Amino acid sequence: MSSDAVKKRKPKVIRNESGTPETKRGRAEGDQDVRVYNEEVELEVRDPQQDYMLYKNTCAALAKLMAEIQELKAGGAKVGSVEIEERRTQCSVHFITLKKLNRLAHMRLKKGRDQTHEAKQRVDVLHLQLQNLLYEVMHLQKEIGKCLEFRSQHEEIELVSEEEFFQEAPAEISRPHVTRDDQHQLTLARLDWELEQRKRLAEQYKMSLARKEKIQKAIEQKREYLSSLQPGLQNIMQASLPVQEYLAIPFEHMQKQAEVARHLPPPLYVLLVQAGAYGQACDKNLSVSIRGDVDEAKALSRPPEDSQDDESDSDAEEEQQNTKRRRATSGVQLDDKRKEMLRRHPLSLCVDLKCKDGSVLHLFFYYLMNLNILTVKTKVSTTADLSGAVSAGELLNSESLLNCLYASDHGKETPNPANRYQFDKVGITTFGDYVSDLGHPYVWVQKLGGLQFSSGGAQSGLTGSALSASHMERTMKLLRGRLQARLALHKQFSSLEHSIIPVSSECQHLFPAKVVSGLMRWTLMSHQEFTELGFVQHVLKAGLVHETDLFFMAAVERGTARLLAAVVMNPRYPEVAPLFSLSLHWKGERSGRTDDNLRAMESEVNVFRSELQGPRPGLQLLTNQIQRLCVCLDVYLETESQVCDGSEGPKEFPREKMCLRTARGPSRLKPFKYNHPQGFFSHR
């Protein structure tokens, strides 16, 4: 039989899951052969547990039938055999049962979801009603709170006390018979009395304003009169300028400087007053002036206004900016802190020391506000050209010109002990890294400004202006002496570089008329080059050399003999004499450590410096020492040849100096002392 014939013989089944009973009944009356089957009705009476058991049993039976079919096929049964067809039919029935159970399960799921949705809707409705009720409760509570917190404007008015009210108020306002028993009426009466008083005070205020306007008009008239006098006074001052210049009394300049001086920090102000007083009383060639930005100094001295509001506003702006940009790195923050800590006051002082030859020493004094120390920078102005001498390059260097003005005052570290802890916070290891930009904090600079810090040495009880005045005169003399000494050395170095030893007429008697040995070379050395010399090691071990000293090499020659002199010049020259170390290259190499006569020559120039000082202040000391060295070399060479062979000596070094004895003692020392005016050499 074909499948079409089977379909025609099967009865038609209509499943209506959502139709109404009326439609079902109408369909049944119209078509008697159609059976109406409603699974929803059946779903109501079926037990889900029984359906689950039916599902398990059906699956087990289906698996059993499949296994039997597999066994039959394995046993050789044909595909269309009766046993296989029967089992296939049973399997089809079981599949139909599984499909029905699947539909029922889906229907149960849909029904459960619908019931859950309806329950959630009911819960949402109840929750919404609860929220509405809570909102109404909160609103009512706020309104109740507003009513409880309500304050009438009359409560903010400071009324007079009740006793004062009953004493001063008239009877028509106070009404004691009513207000003493009724608090409300008492308050109204007190408010009426307050109103009356304020009206009376307002009238008095108007009268006071009118009187104030009259006084202001009178003040303005007097002010206009005074301002009209100013042009005339200025004309008088301008006309008196030639008289001020002629009498050396610059009133106008002093007045302007006094106005600016009010904004100086205390140390610079002390220095200004004391230096000006010393210049007027003792040194007419000393002048003091103020430099810098006056407006910025005024801004520093002006007290901050509304600092709290400004800080709160700035904090809010910073918070907004921080949300938009990246924070600065820690390194940038440290640099900013260092700059702020090393910040200088906008005003500074310039002290000019003039010398007789027209040269000027400019001293620029600065005040570091956060470190509370003074620093100084220097500059030298001369009328002559000082660019000729190469070896004199370090003499007028602003970084080393004032080194050791007082003993051991190098100006590399801050004298304030508190600065060490400040430097640790911002990562500054040494102040010496910043002296080229900020200036040198010498101890004498602090004392000129009236600053004195605790240290290991003895301290005076003076402070402020008294301390500055006690050091002013000596310091100014040392500064002028330092400039004169360096300028004199500069001129001498120019001659020494050209192999000329300048000996003044006042010092000619210290040397014989004829000196054969001569200076061949004069050069500048560094500290490193000096320490590498072999014949100066004993000087280094003795601690007589410092990095702040100046180092030079002099070469004195006569014939085949060559004398090298390493010269150490202290910054305090001529107060501290130059130190000579000798090495002779003639018939070998000799030095003061190996030759007693060379040691004696070193003594002649190093120990007996008082003979070579010359006229005060002893600015010819260096050239006299070099000239004495040439004379001693002549004596050494001329007498050494006689000691060697006992004859008149070789023709290279003929005897030209008159000596009483050519050698003396076991060490055979030579006569290096020159006796004037006899003109002979003798032993010491």
Side-chain angles (χ1 to χ4, degrees), residues 474-504:
R474 173 170 169 76
T475 302
M476 292 303 163
K477 290 182 178 179
L478 289 176
L479 288 171
R480 183 172 275 108
R482 175 63 61 87
L483 178 61
Q484 293 175 350
R486 293 299 174 90
L487 292 176
L489 284 175
H490 200 286
K491 294 179 181 179
Q492 295 170 11
F493 285 2
S494 298
S495 300
L496 294 177
E497 289 182 0
H498 292 84
S499 301
I500 300 174
I501 303 176
V503 179
S504 62

PDB file of all heavy atoms in Angstrom, residues 474-504:
ATOM      1  N   ARG A 474      88.793  96.705  58.421  1.00  0.00           N
ATOM      2  CA  ARG A 474      89.835  95.735  58.072  1.00  0.00           C
ATOM      3  C   ARG A 474      89.505  95.028  56.760  1.00  0.00           C
ATOM      4  O   ARG A 474      90.386  94.814  55.921  1.00  0.00           O
ATOM      5  CB  ARG A 474      89.988  94.713  59.208  1.00  0.00           C
ATOM      6  CG  ARG A 474      90.930  93.576  58.856  1.00  0.00           C
ATOM      7  CD  ARG A 474      91.268  92.721  60.046  1.00  0.00           C
ATOM      8  NE  ARG A 474      91.961  91.506  59.673  1.00  0.00           N
ATOM      9  CZ  ARG A 474      93.236  91.439  59.326  1.00  0.00           C
ATOM     10  NH1 ARG A 474      93.966  92.541  59.301  1.00  0.00           N
ATOM     11  NH2 ARG A 474      93.791  90.280  59.009  1.00  0.00           N
ATOM     12  N   THR A 475      88.244  94.675  56.567  1.00  0.00           N
ATOM     13  CA  THR A 475      87.868  93.962  55.338  1.00  0.00           C
ATOM     14  C   THR A 475      88.073  94.833  54.112  1.00  0.00           C
ATOM     15  O   THR A 475      88.583  94.365  53.079  1.00  0.00           O
ATOM     16  CB  THR A 475      86.404  93.503  55.433  1.00  0.00           C
ATOM     17  OG1 THR A 475      86.237  92.665  56.582  1.00  0.00           O
ATOM     18  CG2 THR A 475      86.009  92.728  54.192  1.00  0.00           C
ATOM     19  N   MET A 476      87.702  96.109  54.183  1.00  0.00           N
ATOM     20  CA  MET A 476      87.876  96.993  53.029  1.00  0.00           C
ATOM     21  C   MET A 476      89.357  97.193  52.703  1.00  0.00           C
ATOM     22  O   MET A 476      89.749  97.252  51.532  1.00  0.00           O
ATOM     23  CB  MET A 476      87.195  98.335  53.297  1.00  0.00           C
ATOM     24  CG  MET A 476      85.681  98.234  53.367  1.00  0.00           C
ATOM     25  SD  MET A 476      85.005  97.527  51.836  1.00  0.00           S
ATOM     26  CE  MET A 476      83.367  97.044  52.356  1.00  0.00           C
ATOM     27  N   LYS A 477      90.182  97.273  53.732  1.00  0.00           N
ATOM     28  CA  LYS A 477      91.625  97.391  53.479  1.00  0.00           C
ATOM     29  C   LYS A 477      92.176  96.122  52.839  1.00  0.00           C
ATOM     30  O   LYS A 477      93.017  96.183  51.930  1.00  0.00           O
ATOM     31  CB  LYS A 477      92.354  97.686  54.785  1.00  0.00           C
ATOM     32  CG  LYS A 477      92.097  99.083  55.324  1.00  0.00           C
ATOM     33  CD  LYS A 477      92.878  99.338  56.604  1.00  0.00           C
ATOM     34  CE  LYS A 477      92.652 100.756  57.121  1.00  0.00           C
ATOM     35  NZ  LYS A 477      93.391 101.020  58.372  1.00  0.00           N
ATOM     36  N   LEU A 478      91.704  94.960  53.308  1.00  0.00           N
ATOM     37  CA  LEU A 478      92.157  93.713  52.700  1.00  0.00           C
ATOM     38  C   LEU A 478      91.698  93.598  51.249  1.00  0.00           C
ATOM     39  O   LEU A 478      92.444  93.113  50.383  1.00  0.00           O
ATOM     40  CB  LEU A 478      91.633  92.518  53.508  1.00  0.00           C
ATOM     41  CG  LEU A 478      92.265  92.293  54.884  1.00  0.00           C
ATOM     42  CD1 LEU A 478      91.581  91.138  55.597  1.00  0.00           C
ATOM     43  CD2 LEU A 478      93.755  92.002  54.743  1.00  0.00           C
ATOM     44  N   LEU A 479      90.497  94.039  50.959  1.00  0.00           N
ATOM     45  CA  LEU A 479      89.988  93.977  49.587  1.00  0.00           C
ATOM     46  C   LEU A 479      90.808  94.883  48.669  1.00  0.00           C
ATOM     47  O   LEU A 479      91.182  94.478  47.551  1.00  0.00           O
ATOM     48  CB  LEU A 479      88.519  94.387  49.555  1.00  0.00           C
ATOM     49  CG  LEU A 479      87.523  93.389  50.156  1.00  0.00           C
ATOM     50  CD1 LEU A 479      86.139  94.007  50.265  1.00  0.00           C
ATOM     51  CD2 LEU A 479      87.457  92.124  49.312  1.00  0.00           C
ATOM     52  N   ARG A 480      91.075  96.090  49.128  1.00  0.00           N
ATOM     53  CA  ARG A 480      91.866  96.997  48.286  1.00  0.00           C
ATOM     54  C   ARG A 480      93.305  96.461  48.143  1.00  0.00           C
ATOM     55  O   ARG A 480      93.896  96.539  47.055  1.00  0.00           O
ATOM     56  CB  ARG A 480      91.861  98.391  48.895  1.00  0.00           C
ATOM     57  CG  ARG A 480      92.611  99.407  48.037  1.00  0.00           C
ATOM     58  CD  ARG A 480      92.448 100.815  48.548  1.00  0.00           C
ATOM     59  NE  ARG A 480      91.226 101.410  48.019  1.00  0.00           N
ATOM     60  CZ  ARG A 480      90.130 101.644  48.731  1.00  0.00           C
ATOM     61  NH1 ARG A 480      90.104 101.323  50.018  1.00  0.00           N
ATOM     62  NH2 ARG A 480      89.068 102.201  48.190  1.00  0.00           N
ATOM     63  N   GLY A 481      93.856  95.911  49.223  1.00  0.00           N
ATOM     64  CA  GLY A 481      95.195  95.332  49.123  1.00  0.00           C
ATOM     65  C   GLY A 481      95.236  94.133  48.192  1.00  0.00           C
ATOM     66  O   GLY A 481      96.211  93.950  47.449  1.00  0.00           O
ATOM     67  N   ARG A 482      94.180  93.308  48.206  1.00  0.00           N
ATOM     68  CA  ARG A 482      94.140  92.157  47.296  1.00  0.00           C
ATOM     69  C   ARG A 482      94.126  92.616  45.843  1.00  0.00           C
ATOM     70  O   ARG A 482      94.835  92.060  44.989  1.00  0.00           O
ATOM     71  CB  ARG A 482      92.904  91.311  47.611  1.00  0.00           C
ATOM     72  CG  ARG A 482      92.659  90.136  46.663  1.00  0.00           C
ATOM     73  CD  ARG A 482      93.774  89.102  46.710  1.00  0.00           C
ATOM     74  NE  ARG A 482      93.924  88.525  48.023  1.00  0.00           N
ATOM     75  CZ  ARG A 482      93.235  87.456  48.455  1.00  0.00           C
ATOM     76  NH1 ARG A 482      92.368  86.866  47.657  1.00  0.00           N
ATOM     77  NH2 ARG A 482      93.453  86.973  49.667  1.00  0.00           N
ATOM     78  N   LEU A 483      93.332  93.645  45.534  1.00  0.00           N
ATOM     79  CA  LEU A 483      93.274  94.146  44.159  1.00  0.00           C
ATOM     80  C   LEU A 483      94.617  94.726  43.735  1.00  0.00           C
ATOM     81  O   LEU A 483      95.111  94.451  42.622  1.00  0.00           O
ATOM     82  CB  LEU A 483      92.165  95.198  44.041  1.00  0.00           C
ATOM     83  CG  LEU A 483      92.013  95.863  42.673  1.00  0.00           C
ATOM     84  CD1 LEU A 483      91.685  94.830  41.607  1.00  0.00           C
ATOM     85  CD2 LEU A 483      90.946  96.951  42.704  1.00  0.00           C
ATOM     86  N   GLN A 484      95.243  95.516  44.597  1.00  0.00           N
ATOM     87  CA  GLN A 484      96.534  96.104  44.240  1.00  0.00           C
ATOM     88  C   GLN A 484      97.602  95.023  44.046  1.00  0.00           C
ATOM     89  O   GLN A 484      98.414  95.113  43.121  1.00  0.00           O
ATOM     90  CB  GLN A 484      96.970  97.080  45.332  1.00  0.00           C
ATOM     91  CG  GLN A 484      96.084  98.316  45.424  1.00  0.00           C
ATOM     92  CD  GLN A 484      96.452  99.209  46.592  1.00  0.00           C
ATOM     93  OE1 GLN A 484      97.253  98.818  47.446  1.00  0.00           O
ATOM     94  NE2 GLN A 484      95.865 100.404  46.648  1.00  0.00           N
ATOM     95  N   ALA A 485      97.580  93.986  44.903  1.00  0.00           N
ATOM     96  CA  ALA A 485      98.566  92.914  44.764  1.00  0.00           C
ATOM     97  C   ALA A 485      98.368  92.157  43.459  1.00  0.00           C
ATOM     98  O   ALA A 485      99.343  91.840  42.758  1.00  0.00           O
ATOM     99  CB  ALA A 485      98.466  91.958  45.958  1.00  0.00           C
ATOM    100  N   ARG A 486      97.124  91.884  43.095  1.00  0.00           N
ATOM    101  CA  ARG A 486      96.885  91.132  41.857  1.00  0.00           C
ATOM    102  C   ARG A 486      97.237  91.972  40.622  1.00  0.00           C
ATOM    103  O   ARG A 486      97.770  91.445  39.636  1.00  0.00           O
ATOM    104  CB  ARG A 486      95.426  90.691  41.801  1.00  0.00           C
ATOM    105  CG  ARG A 486      95.059  89.644  42.868  1.00  0.00           C
ATOM    106  CD  ARG A 486      95.870  88.381  42.687  1.00  0.00           C
ATOM    107  NE  ARG A 486      95.674  87.408  43.745  1.00  0.00           N
ATOM    108  CZ  ARG A 486      94.742  86.456  43.725  1.00  0.00           C
ATOM    109  NH1 ARG A 486      93.914  86.362  42.696  1.00  0.00           N
ATOM    110  NH2 ARG A 486      94.646  85.597  44.729  1.00  0.00           N
ATOM    111  N   LEU A 487      96.941  93.269  40.666  1.00  0.00           N
ATOM    112  CA  LEU A 487      97.311  94.115  39.526  1.00  0.00           C
ATOM    113  C   LEU A 487      98.827  94.226  39.393  1.00  0.00           C
ATOM    114  O   LEU A 487      99.373  94.210  38.273  1.00  0.00           O
ATOM    115  CB  LEU A 487      96.683  95.493  39.688  1.00  0.00           C
ATOM    116  CG  LEU A 487      95.147  95.550  39.575  1.00  0.00           C
ATOM    117  CD1 LEU A 487      94.649  96.953  39.859  1.00  0.00           C
ATOM    118  CD2 LEU A 487      94.694  95.107  38.192  1.00  0.00           C
ATOM    119  N   ALA A 488      99.520  94.321  40.532  1.00  0.00           N
ATOM    120  CA  ALA A 488     100.984  94.366  40.473  1.00  0.00           C
ATOM    121  C   ALA A 488     101.549  93.054  39.935  1.00  0.00           C
ATOM    122  O   ALA A 488     102.492  93.055  39.116  1.00  0.00           O
ATOM    123  CB  ALA A 488     101.546  94.662  41.867  1.00  0.00           C
ATOM    124  N   LEU A 489     100.999  91.920  40.381  1.00  0.00           N
ATOM    125  CA  LEU A 489     101.448  90.627  39.852  1.00  0.00           C
ATOM    126  C   LEU A 489     101.183  90.521  38.361  1.00  0.00           C
ATOM    127  O   LEU A 489     101.975  89.932  37.612  1.00  0.00           O
ATOM    128  CB  LEU A 489     100.738  89.495  40.603  1.00  0.00           C
ATOM    129  CG  LEU A 489     101.242  89.187  42.014  1.00  0.00           C
ATOM    130  CD1 LEU A 489     100.362  88.126  42.663  1.00  0.00           C
ATOM    131  CD2 LEU A 489     102.687  88.706  41.969  1.00  0.00           C
ATOM    132  N   HIS A 490     100.048  91.062  37.919  1.00  0.00           N
ATOM    133  CA  HIS A 490      99.731  90.997  36.489  1.00  0.00           C
ATOM    134  C   HIS A 490     100.799  91.718  35.664  1.00  0.00           C
ATOM    135  O   HIS A 490     101.255  91.213  34.618  1.00  0.00           O
ATOM    136  CB  HIS A 490      98.350  91.616  36.263  1.00  0.00           C
ATOM    137  CG  HIS A 490      97.718  91.201  34.969  1.00  0.00           C
ATOM    138  ND1 HIS A 490      98.135  91.682  33.748  1.00  0.00           N
ATOM    139  CD2 HIS A 490      96.703  90.332  34.706  1.00  0.00           C
ATOM    140  CE1 HIS A 490      97.400  91.149  32.792  1.00  0.00           C
ATOM    141  NE2 HIS A 490      96.525  90.316  33.335  1.00  0.00           N
ATOM    142  N   LYS A 491     101.207  92.880  36.115  1.00  0.00           N
ATOM    143  CA  LYS A 491     102.248  93.610  35.388  1.00  0.00           C
ATOM    144  C   LYS A 491     103.573  92.852  35.444  1.00  0.00           C
ATOM    145  O   LYS A 491     104.307  92.778  34.449  1.00  0.00           O
ATOM    146  CB  LYS A 491     102.415  94.997  35.991  1.00  0.00           C
ATOM    147  CG  LYS A 491     101.191  95.895  35.814  1.00  0.00           C
ATOM    148  CD  LYS A 491     101.415  97.257  36.456  1.00  0.00           C
ATOM    149  CE  LYS A 491     100.190  98.148  36.299  1.00  0.00           C
ATOM    150  NZ  LYS A 491     100.381  99.477  36.943  1.00  0.00           N
ATOM    151  N   GLN A 492     103.895  92.283  36.614  1.00  0.00           N
ATOM    152  CA  GLN A 492     105.148  91.541  36.742  1.00  0.00           C
ATOM    153  C   GLN A 492     105.153  90.300  35.861  1.00  0.00           C
ATOM    154  O   GLN A 492     106.173  89.968  35.241  1.00  0.00           O
ATOM    155  CB  GLN A 492     105.368  91.155  38.208  1.00  0.00           C
ATOM    156  CG  GLN A 492     105.582  92.347  39.126  1.00  0.00           C
ATOM    157  CD  GLN A 492     105.559  91.965  40.586  1.00  0.00           C
ATOM    158  OE1 GLN A 492     105.588  90.778  40.930  1.00  0.00           O
ATOM    159  NE2 GLN A 492     105.499  92.964  41.470  1.00  0.00           N
ATOM    160  N   PHE A 493     103.983  89.599  35.769  1.00  0.00           N
ATOM    161  CA  PHE A 493     103.921  88.398  34.930  1.00  0.00           C
ATOM    162  C   PHE A 493     104.121  88.739  33.464  1.00  0.00           C
ATOM    163  O   PHE A 493     104.689  87.939  32.703  1.00  0.00           O
ATOM    164  CB  PHE A 493     102.580  87.699  35.126  1.00  0.00           C
ATOM    165  CG  PHE A 493     102.478  86.959  36.446  1.00  0.00           C
ATOM    166  CD1 PHE A 493     103.512  86.986  37.343  1.00  0.00           C
ATOM    167  CD2 PHE A 493     101.339  86.244  36.778  1.00  0.00           C
ATOM    168  CE1 PHE A 493     103.428  86.320  38.556  1.00  0.00           C
ATOM    169  CE2 PHE A 493     101.240  85.571  37.973  1.00  0.00           C
ATOM    170  CZ  PHE A 493     102.290  85.616  38.867  1.00  0.00           C
ATOM    171  N   SER A 494     103.644  89.897  33.050  1.00  0.00           N
ATOM    172  CA  SER A 494     103.855  90.298  31.649  1.00  0.00           C
ATOM    173  C   SER A 494     105.346  90.422  31.343  1.00  0.00           C
ATOM    174  O   SER A 494     105.802  90.040  30.254  1.00  0.00           O
ATOM    175  CB  SER A 494     103.141  91.628  31.381  1.00  0.00           C
ATOM    176  OG  SER A 494     101.747  91.495  31.575  1.00  0.00           O
ATOM    177  N   SER A 495     106.107  90.948  32.297  1.00  0.00           N
ATOM    178  CA  SER A 495     107.561  91.053  32.088  1.00  0.00           C
ATOM    179  C   SER A 495     108.236  89.695  32.213  1.00  0.00           C
ATOM    180  O   SER A 495     109.159  89.373  31.439  1.00  0.00           O
ATOM    181  CB  SER A 495     108.156  92.026  33.108  1.00  0.00           C
ATOM    182  OG  SER A 495     107.590  93.315  32.972  1.00  0.00           O
ATOM    183  N   LEU A 496     107.804  88.876  33.176  1.00  0.00           N
ATOM    184  CA  LEU A 496     108.430  87.569  33.362  1.00  0.00           C
ATOM    185  C   LEU A 496     108.229  86.675  32.141  1.00  0.00           C
ATOM    186  O   LEU A 496     109.117  85.881  31.798  1.00  0.00           O
ATOM    187  CB  LEU A 496     107.848  86.892  34.605  1.00  0.00           C
ATOM    188  CG  LEU A 496     108.164  87.558  35.950  1.00  0.00           C
ATOM    189  CD1 LEU A 496     107.471  86.821  37.090  1.00  0.00           C
ATOM    190  CD2 LEU A 496     109.675  87.594  36.189  1.00  0.00           C
ATOM    191  N   GLU A 497     107.078  86.770  31.502  1.00  0.00           N
ATOM    192  CA  GLU A 497     106.866  85.951  30.305  1.00  0.00           C
ATOM    193  C   GLU A 497     107.787  86.359  29.166  1.00  0.00           C
ATOM    194  O   GLU A 497     108.031  85.562  28.252  1.00  0.00           O
ATOM    195  CB  GLU A 497     105.400  86.058  29.868  1.00  0.00           C
ATOM    196  CG  GLU A 497     104.438  85.342  30.807  1.00  0.00           C
ATOM    197  CD  GLU A 497     103.003  85.423  30.317  1.00  0.00           C
ATOM    198  OE1 GLU A 497     102.779  86.036  29.260  1.00  0.00           O
ATOM    199  OE2 GLU A 497     102.109  84.869  30.986  1.00  0.00           O
ATOM    200  N   HIS A 498     108.284  87.583  29.213  1.00  0.00           N
ATOM    201  CA  HIS A 498     109.258  88.025  28.205  1.00  0.00           C
ATOM    202  C   HIS A 498     110.686  87.907  28.732  1.00  0.00           C
ATOM    203  O   HIS A 498     111.618  88.577  28.218  1.00  0.00           O
ATOM    204  CB  HIS A 498     108.977  89.473  27.806  1.00  0.00           C
ATOM    205  CG  HIS A 498     107.692  89.645  27.052  1.00  0.00           C
ATOM    206  ND1 HIS A 498     106.465  89.783  27.672  1.00  0.00           N
ATOM    207  CD2 HIS A 498     107.439  89.678  25.714  1.00  0.00           C
ATOM    208  CE1 HIS A 498     105.524  89.921  26.768  1.00  0.00           C
ATOM    209  NE2 HIS A 498     106.072  89.853  25.567  1.00  0.00           N
ATOM    210  N   SER A 499     110.880  87.081  29.778  1.00  0.00           N
ATOM    211  CA  SER A 499     112.209  86.796  30.349  1.00  0.00           C
ATOM    212  C   SER A 499     112.861  88.044  30.919  1.00  0.00           C
ATOM    213  O   SER A 499     114.095  88.198  30.901  1.00  0.00           O
ATOM    214  CB  SER A 499     113.128  86.152  29.301  1.00  0.00           C
ATOM    215  OG  SER A 499     112.557  84.949  28.825  1.00  0.00           O
ATOM    216  N   ILE A 500     112.049  88.950  31.415  1.00  0.00           N
ATOM    217  CA  ILE A 500     112.553  90.172  32.052  1.00  0.00           C
ATOM    218  C   ILE A 500     112.118  90.154  33.504  1.00  0.00           C
ATOM    219  O   ILE A 500     110.928  89.990  33.804  1.00  0.00           O
ATOM    220  CB  ILE A 500     112.013  91.434  31.349  1.00  0.00           C
ATOM    221  CG1 ILE A 500     112.443  91.445  29.880  1.00  0.00           C
ATOM    222  CG2 ILE A 500     112.474  92.695  32.068  1.00  0.00           C
ATOM    223  CD1 ILE A 500     111.827  92.580  29.082  1.00  0.00           C
ATOM    224  N   ILE A 501     113.087  90.330  34.409  1.00  0.00           N
ATOM    225  CA  ILE A 501     112.774  90.367  35.836  1.00  0.00           C
ATOM    226  C   ILE A 501     112.723  91.830  36.261  1.00  0.00           C
ATOM    227  O   ILE A 501     113.768  92.493  36.336  1.00  0.00           O
ATOM    228  CB  ILE A 501     113.818  89.606  36.664  1.00  0.00           C
ATOM    229  CG1 ILE A 501     113.934  88.160  36.172  1.00  0.00           C
ATOM    230  CG2 ILE A 501     113.457  89.636  38.142  1.00  0.00           C
ATOM    231  CD1 ILE A 501     115.013  87.370  36.870  1.00  0.00           C
ATOM    232  N   PRO A 502     111.523  92.368  36.492  1.00  0.00           N
ATOM    233  CA  PRO A 502     111.424  93.793  36.843  1.00  0.00           C
ATOM    234  C   PRO A 502     111.836  94.019  38.297  1.00  0.00           C
ATOM    235  O   PRO A 502     111.175  93.575  39.232  1.00  0.00           O
ATOM    236  CB  PRO A 502     109.942  94.110  36.633  1.00  0.00           C
ATOM    237  CG  PRO A 502     109.241  92.805  36.843  1.00  0.00           C
ATOM    238  CD  PRO A 502     110.191  91.730  36.395  1.00  0.00           C
ATOM    239  N   VAL A 503     112.952  94.715  38.494  1.00  0.00           N
ATOM    240  CA  VAL A 503     113.438  95.054  39.830  1.00  0.00           C
ATOM    241  C   VAL A 503     113.357  96.568  39.976  1.00  0.00           C
ATOM    242  O   VAL A 503     113.938  97.313  39.178  1.00  0.00           O
ATOM    243  CB  VAL A 503     114.881  94.561  40.048  1.00  0.00           C
ATOM    244  CG1 VAL A 503     115.367  94.946  41.442  1.00  0.00           C
ATOM    245  CG2 VAL A 503     114.955  93.057  39.854  1.00  0.00           C
ATOM    246  N   SER A 504     112.626  97.011  40.976  1.00  0.00           N
ATOM    247  CA  SER A 504     112.438  98.451  41.166  1.00  0.00           C
ATOM    248  C   SER A 504     113.722  99.084  41.686  1.00  0.00           C
ATOM    249  O   SER A 504     114.627  98.410  42.203  1.00  0.00           O
ATOM    250  CB  SER A 504     111.293  98.704  42.147  1.00  0.00           C
ATOM    251  OG  SER A 504     111.580  98.151  43.416  1.00  0.00           O
TER     252      SER A 504
END
